[in-house]
């Protein structure tokens, strides 16, 4: 049974998260032959004030991540 943990820097919409779960599940079915019902996906949305990279909080870097654009990381 695959257990997949995904961490996102910033928020994602419910629709985006549903799409991620569907895509990851389909990949496990196609690549590993696992039954879809066995694939477990956990998505954690990291608050940009609680995550840092390069010695700086993401919340303090460049423009904020727009809601609905959770894949983008603020510019350095």
């Amino acid at each position: 049974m695959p257990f997949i943990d995904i961490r996102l820097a910033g928020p994602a919409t419910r629709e985006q998260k549903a799409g991620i779960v569907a895509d990851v599940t389909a990949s496990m079915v196609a690549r590993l032959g696992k039954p879809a019902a066995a694939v477990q996906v956990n998505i954690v949305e990291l608050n940009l004030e609680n995550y840092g990279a390069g010695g700086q909080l993401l919340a303090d870097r460049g423009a904020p991540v727009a809601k609905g654009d959770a894949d983008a990381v603020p510019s350095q």
Side-chain angles (χ1 to χ4, degrees):
M1 177 180 303
F3 294 93
I4 296 118
D5 288 316
I6 298 171
R7 293 185 295 160
L8 300 175
T13 66
R14 185 179 195 288
E15 292 78 19
Q16 289 172 321
K17 290 184 273 191
I20 291 167
V21 170
D23 291 347
V24 169
T25 299
S27 181
M28 293 293 105
V29 170
R31 304 267 178 204
L32 299 178
K34 299 296 183 180
V39 179
Q40 309 293 309
V41 181
N42 178 48
I43 297 174
V44 176
E45 294 174 309
L46 300 171
N47 183 315
L48 298 181
E49 292 180 1
N50 296 334
Y51 185 80
Q56 186 177 29
L57 291 175
L58 290 186
D60 295 337
R61 296 168 80 184
V65 174
K67 186 169 183 158
D69 191 16
D71 294 332
V73 174
S75 61
Q76 296 185 22

